[in-house]
Amino acid sequence: MEIIVLLKQVPATESMIAITGDGKSIQTDNIKWVMNPYDEFAVEEALQIKKAPGGRVTVISAGGDRCAEVLRTALAMGADSAVLVNDPAVENCDGIGIARILASAVKDIPYDLIIAGMRAVDDDNYVVGAAVAEFLQIPHMSMVIKEEIRDGVIRCHSTVEGGTLVTEAPLPALFTCQRGLNEPRYPSLPGIMKAKKKKIEIKSLADMGLDAGAVEAKSEITGMKLPPERKAGKMIAGDSAQVKAAELVKLLRKEAKVI
Amino acid sequence: MSQNILVITEQRDGVFRKISFEALSEGKRIAQLMGNGLSAVVLGDGVEETAGETAKYGADKILVADDPALKEYTVEAYVSVIAAAAEQENPPVIILGASAQGKDLSARLAARLNAALAVDCTEIRMENGTLHATRPMYGGKILADVTLKGSPQIVTLRPNAMEISESAGAGQVEKMAVNPGELRMKFVEKEMESGKMELTEADIIVSGGRGMGGADYSLLEELAQTLGAAVGASRSAVDEGWRPHSDQVGQTGKTVSPGLYIACGISGAIQHLAGMSSSKVIVAVNKDEDAPIFSKADYGIAGDLFEVVPAITAEIKKLS
Ligand SMILES: Cc1cc2nc3c(=O)[nH]c(=O)nc-3n(C[C@H](O)[C@H](O)[C@H](O)COP(=O)(O)OP(=O)(O)OC[C@H]3O[C@@H](n4cnc5c(N)ncnc54)[C@H](O)[C@@H]3O)c2cc1C
Ligand SMILES: Nc1ncnc2c1ncn2[C@@H]1O[C@H](COP(=O)(O)O)[C@@H](O)[C@H]1O
């Protein structure tokens, strides 16, 4: 089984996010960069699927030099090879543009299965996995918490509001990972040592026959702001739980008018 | 030339989901600003009658794609039908709900139509004839303004973020020819937790964290039942195995915007706040008066939730 995993490097969720002077992007100094948490599930699932029938796991990321770190982490977890699409044009892409780039990067690599995160926790887009599948003309399933592959057919359990949806498709296919799919492993020490020796293949858009025009963004962030600060409200005083509860219910009815 | 705005509705077992009415109402508002009409697309099997309901929310034209192949959602069949509708209608703007289905559909649709896309928007507006959207990023720590280019422009709307408003539309029904083509994807089954209220659609949520001390959530469930609310949880409660993952609110769980969010025994970690800070009114019950949740709450009660929660339930019961 040839498996490709799409990986993004993102700020750790506990990072403080500040906006740059031009108001269009975030300040990148003082940020701890990590593998997108949903992509950790993708690497783990790929390694588990590979274990059974044998095969290769290739990890791919599109981004600047710094993104080599997440590829290195995935190699240390046990991935076999890594590709970094490193091109200045990547920075200005929207999700659809990134998907176009990744779909091109995948074309030269044989694959039965592609795995992505359901969303990246920086842009919260939920876009790239499904769009890659569309560009490659393969079926996809989103927000998967369980999958089984049998006789060239993948069956996935996807989370939807109020339950799960089970669908099937022949390989090659793509699915995106939801929390609950697995418990990602930590890189082992020997894994880290081995990963250091592995080479990360670097590609530019030109190497894949794409020019910047082909991936020009159609949606552009023209401004960023911090959400209105929630001010601390009233602490409700009272001698007993009953008194406080009565006061709360009165405020919710008369002042906030929500019940 | 004025083309209709296209709203893709969502139904399950023949019943529209609330987000569809939110999307139609917002679509109507934008259509009126642009001087355009509103078309609704309804997909399913045996949905022709239900489809008429969209006229109440302003649909001038109702495109009905009624076919056994559309009985259950699979992205493959749905995208091809919606792409065909888009080709026919040539809409400047396509609106979907940012439900699990809407997110899944919109990404594949945008790639197919080579269209601009902004997902999970909390506001859309027209400025100088172009569509702008506001959408949360970085788990709600940032609100981004997004400008969309070209045609069509696709937006998905965060559930519960927009008002539902009724307005009469002409409601002219048009049956679409459905040619989903050869389908590779197959629906197998769906497993629904019956009778459970969906968190992202709930007007009131009562959530419990590690302070619940165990899997017995009956106190919260009683309060929720009294209020007609859904029950949520923090990640700690989910990690402990007290609640299913589908109940988790936060950065790696669900993002909710109810009118009222009552956090019980939840400390208020940044990853939890990411999922609920757009709630209109927040109440916190915590025995630690320095808990960070209080700095985000509109109303706070410092106290033991095992005393406070039943007292709140009793007070609300007195109202009826
Ligand atoms: C990558 C990442 C993603 C994450 N995603 C999420 C997410 O999606 N959602 C999420 O919730 N968390 C998430 N977290 C975890 C988050 O950081 C916190 O650990 C978690 O929210 C804490 O849950 P809690 O408030 O229930 O527990 P605690 O922080 O342990 O707080 C329990 C609170 O209960 C109070 N308490 C105890 N007993 C009582 C009582 N009898 N009466 C009243 N109050 C009482 C205590 O005073 C305390 O404030 C994530 C973390 C990471 C690193
Ligand atoms: N620049 C990128 N390089 C590689 N994979 C990406 C990139 N951006 C997004 N992805 C993949 O697509 C998923 C969803 O991302 P998004 O659509 O940005 O929320 C991520 O979890 C990754 O698996």
Side-chain angles (χ1 to χ4, degrees), chain A residues 6-8 36 38-39 60-63 98 102 115-120 123-129:
Chain A
L6 308 178
L7 292 183
K8 189 175 192 187
N36 180 36
Y38 293 97
D39 302 354
I60 306 184
S61 189
I98 293 288
L102 293 170
I115 314 180
M118 74 161 187
R119 79 172 209 255
D123 57 28
D124 290 335
N125 246 345
Y126 303 83
V127 165
V128 170

Side-chain angles (χ1 to χ4, degrees), chain A residues 13 119 122 124 134 137-138 140 142 161 164 166 168 218 220 222-223 225 230 233-234 236 244 255, chain B residues 100 104 108 112 138-139 141 143 145 147 149 184 186 188-189 191 251 277 279 297-300 302:
Chain A
T13 56
R119 79 172 209 255
D122 51 357
D124 290 335
E134 173 63 25
Q137 297 284 310
I138 58 173
H140 86 268
S142 293
E161 291 81 7
T164 54
V166 187
E168 256 181 20
K218 286 213 161 67
E220 192 194 343
T222 42
K225 56 180 187 258
R230 280 200 93 96
K234 278 184 202 153
I236 295 170
K244 292 180 194 172
E255 190 176 81
Chain B
D104 188 44
R108 196 143 185 155
R112 180 155 320 172
Y138 297 92
K141 288 181 216 166
L143 292 178
D145 276 330
T147 310
K149 293 183 213 158
R184 292 165 293 185
K186 213 170 78 192
V188 179
E189 60 179 334
E191 296 157 1
Q251 177 122 28
S277 58
S279 306
D298 300 281
Y299 302 107

Side-chain angles (χ1 to χ4, degrees), chain B residues 231-276:
Chain B
V231 177
S234 74
R235 169 145 161 201
S236 298
V238 173
D239 285 349
E240 293 287 347
W242 300 342
R243 305 298 289 176
H245 178 254
S246 56
D247 284 5
Q248 184 181 317
V249 172
Q251 177 122 28
T252 40
K254 286 183 173 156
T255 306
V256 297
S257 324
L260 174 60
Y261 188 91
I262 306 180
C264 306
I266 293 177
S267 60
I270 191 159
Q271 294 92 353
H272 188 79
L273 298 174
M276 47 63 86

Side-chain angles (χ1 to χ4, degrees), chain B residues 3-21:
Chain B
Q3 262 103 18
N4 282 7
I5 303 262
L6 202 61
V7 168
I8 315 302
T9 61
E10 183 174 339
Q11 55 84 23
R12 195 183 280 166
D13 301 325
V15 179
F16 281 116
R17 300 181 66 81
K18 186 176 160 213
I19 183 68
S20 298
F21 303 136

Side-chain angles (χ1 to χ4, degrees), chain B residues 38 53 73 109-110 116 123 163 173 180 217 231 246 248 257 303 319:
Chain B
L38 178 69
E53 213 183 324
Y73 171 73
L109 186 66
E123 190 190 318
E163 300 280 328
V173 174
Y217 266 53
V231 177
S246 56
Q248 184 181 317
S257 324
L319 296 176

Side-chain angles (χ1 to χ4, degrees), chain A residues 42 84 95 190 212 228:
Chain A
L84 176 63

